[in-house]
Amino acid sequence: MSLEQRINAAWYGRPGWLLLLLPLTFLFRFIAALRRKLISPQSCGAPVIVVGNISVGGSGKTPVVLALANFCRDRAYRVGIVSRGYGGRAPHYPFKLESNTEPGIVGDEPCLIARRSGLPVVVAPDRVAAAKLLVEQHNCNLIISDDGLQHYRLARDIEVLLVDGQRGFGNGHCLPVGPLREPIRRVSSVDLTVINGGSSSLSGHTMLLAGDTAVNLSDGESRCLTDWPQTSRRVHAVAGIGNPSRFFDALRSKGFDVIEHPFADHHIYSESDLQFADDFAVIMTEKDAVKCARFTLENTWMLPVDADIDDAFYAAFSSLLERLPRS
């Protein structure tokens, strides 16, 4: 078992040997609380919705960002989206994505969001600067921040917290003993909580990731998973996301015999990562496919997913939107 696997086992089980680092957790919590108290939020000139989490790793933020962006656009908001651009190396910041911007420049998630939504997306470690660019140069009157719950310099009007329903808050400790960026009590200060996958032990609105149609990376062919040939249901499943097992389980629920290939979140792929000694199809997440489109791959598919959130969430979200100033 690798060190990363051992840490994850302790984060989402009993902390065990990590309890030796408890003094560092107390220091982390103190610094986090001090930052929140001392940092003065700055307005970007438009209302801001932050979609984030308090745990390290993925929790389904990107599909929720897309869902909320579409919801707000349908209500005539001029929506812009900001992200840190994790893993990217942009020539300058803030950096606005173009239709041909590569993930190596801005990161995988901003590329996915820009291509799926068609909305202006700007990345920068300083999200205030990114949001101001969207307001001043693109006339956006509503900003959605992909992640950034802990980026307190950006004043926000609505906070939406995502929680992985399978993993919850892990062992309940902050870094490095546990996976939390902030104590669990932070949950009580957000406006809306969404549980990805649902959970009987967690309180919040329920969300499922819905995806039934795979898209071929080579020729763009679409194929419904229910129409997949029964003789070809043994597949290689590739996932470089925060919780790869969720993707593997989703494929199994569709009747696939899955050969698992988990990678670290934001993994930078080489073509050899996707070459296997057989003819089984390869199915990957859309987030991974964004980084693999440049390869010459046959019988390789991506599975786009959408956030299916309960109606009560949208009723509450609509009520919050109505309170925002609108220009």
Side-chain angles (χ1 to χ4, degrees):
M1 182 183 290
S2 68
L3 178 59
E4 180 181 357
Q5 290 172 324
R6 291 177 62 199
I7 291 174
N8 271 286
W11 277 356
Y12 295 102
R14 294 183 177 180
W17 60 279
L18 284 179
L19 287 174
L20 296 172
L21 303 178
L22 205 54
L24 293 179
T25 287
F26 294 142
L27 178 61
F28 179 89
R29 291 183 59 166
F30 172 76
I31 293 173
L34 189 64
R35 282 184 66 253
R36 190 174 185 188
K37 183 176 181 179
L38 295 180
I39 292 176
S40 299
Q42 298 180 24
S43 171
C44 66
V48 172
I49 300 167
V50 174
V51 179
N53 57 15
I54 62 170
S55 300
V56 172
S59 55
K61 294 185 297 294
T62 300
V64 173
V65 167
L66 288 167
L68 296 188
N70 288 330
F71 185 88
C72 295
R73 178 168 52 186
D74 289 346
R75 283 149 185 80
Y77 283 95
R78 301 185 300 276
V79 180
I81 299 171
V82 299
S83 177
R84 187 187 187 283
Y86 181 85
R89 298 177 180 83
H92 59 83
Y93 292 106
F95 184 90
K96 181 184 177 295
L97 277 69
E98 303 296 339
S99 59
N100 60 348
T101 301
E102 292 293 328
I105 297 176
V106 295
D108 45 26
E109 289 162 346
C111 273
L112 191 163
I113 291 170
R115 294 175 189 181
R116 281 282 297 271
S117 70
L119 294 168
V121 177
V122 173
V123 299
D126 180 357
R127 289 181 179 82
V128 178
K132 284 184 176 180
L133 187 151
L134 286 168
V135 173
E136 294 168 2
Q137 297 186 22
H138 295 275
N139 198 31
C140 294
N141 64 357
L142 183 66
I143 303 298
I144 298 179
S145 177
D146 172 33
D147 208 356
L149 204 62
Q150 291 79 36
H151 192 86
Y152 290 117
R153 282 189 60 246
L154 178 61
R156 69 285 309 268
D157 300 86
I158 300 174
E159 290 185 329
V160 180
L161 173 69
L162 268 291
V163 183
D164 187 322
Q166 291 181 344
R167 302 191 297 180
F169 300 110
N171 60 28
H173 290 281
C174 285
L175 292 164
V177 175
L180 300 184
R181 300 169 177 173
E182 297 182 90
I184 293 177
R185 65 173 178 269
R186 176 73 167 90
V187 176
S188 64
S189 66
V190 303
D191 298 285
L192 295 165
T193 300
V194 177
I195 311 300
N196 182 5
S199 172
S200 58
S201 61
L202 299 171
S203 177
H205 298 280
T206 59
M207 177 184 93
L208 297 175
L209 293 177
D212 295 310
T213 302
V215 179
N216 190 285
L217 267 62
S218 177
D219 59 17
E221 175 193 351
S222 295
R223 181 183 294 178
C224 184
L225 297 184
T226 56
D227 296 334
W228 203 279
Q230 291 296 325
T231 56
S232 304
R233 285 189 169 265
R234 183 164 176 78
V235 299
H236 294 281
V238 173
I241 56 178
N243 185 6
S245 63
R246 181 184 297 280
F247 180 65
F248 303 146
D249 291 344
L251 289 177
R252 288 193 179 95
S253 72
K254 303 292 184 181
F256 287 91
D257 180 9
V258 173
I259 305 169
E260 298 183 3
H261 299 279
F263 290 88
D265 197 11
H266 303 289
H267 177 71
I268 299 174
Y269 289 92
S270 63
E271 198 160 354
S272 61
D273 288 332
L274 307 172
Q275 294 173 339
F276 307 108
D278 52 53
D279 295 325
F280 299 137
V282 177
I283 304 179
M284 63 178 61
T285 72
E286 187 178 15
K287 175 178 166 179
D288 295 306
V290 165
K291 294 175 285 188
C292 299
R294 67 187 188 277
F295 301 145
T296 303
L297 301 169
E298 295 183 3
N299 204 18
T300 302
W301 305 73
M302 70 173 178
L303 182 62
V305 295
D306 296 304
D308 182 7
I309 317 175
D310 64 46
D311 292 340
F313 169 85
Y314 284 108
F317 182 69
S318 294
S319 178
L320 292 170
L321 272 183
E322 290 173 0
R323 303 174 191 173
L324 300 182
R326 188 162 181 169
S327 59

